[in-house]
Amino acid sequence: AHGAGGQMSAMQGGSGASMMFQGMGAGGGGGFSSQTFMMSSTMGADGQMHTEKFASSSAGDFNRQIRETQQAYSNSNTGMDKMSLEQEMQGR
């Protein structure tokens, strides 16, 4: 049997806070999954709270040589909001 693990940490500074979570699991037969989440909030010079976030999730099967990864990023200060999806089959 394979286990799963996770880790979470939080940090607080003078004008903001950050949080990060990472987890990973492995299943029988070569399957795997992994998740990462990061968030940071800070008080801007304009007096508004600004948040930056990143999330990534991957899952696949080593034996079948398939993998899918999704990522998302946003930053309320710059207005940036991006998302990506990547699929890989048999090393392609």
Side-chain angles (χ1 to χ4, degrees):
H2 294 275
Q7 179 179 334
M8 187 167 176
S9 63
M11 299 162 280
Q12 240 173 342
S15 64
S18 297
M19 183 186 313
M20 182 173 164
F21 174 82
Q22 290 184 303
M24 192 168 131
F32 70 90
S33 65
S34 174
Q35 296 83 35
T36 300
F37 176 78
M38 184 282 302
M39 181 179 89
S40 176
S41 296
T42 56
M43 187 68 69
D46 58 2
Q48 298 291 315
M49 187 63 76
H50 296 289
T51 304
E52 185 175 17
K53 298 182 216 171
F54 173 78
S56 177
S57 176
S58 295
D61 188 317
F62 289 116
N63 294 336
R64 294 172 49 206
Q65 295 183 335
I66 59 174
R67 176 180 62 89
E68 178 175 291
T69 300
Q70 296 180 14
Q71 295 182 329
Y73 173 81
S74 66
N75 186 325
S76 66
N77 187 39
T78 62
M80 185 177 291
D81 199 7
K82 292 185 170 193
M83 189 172 229
S84 72
L85 171 65
E86 179 181 0
Q87 296 176 325
E88 184 176 329
M89 291 182 237
Q90 299 178 340
R92 294 183 221 173

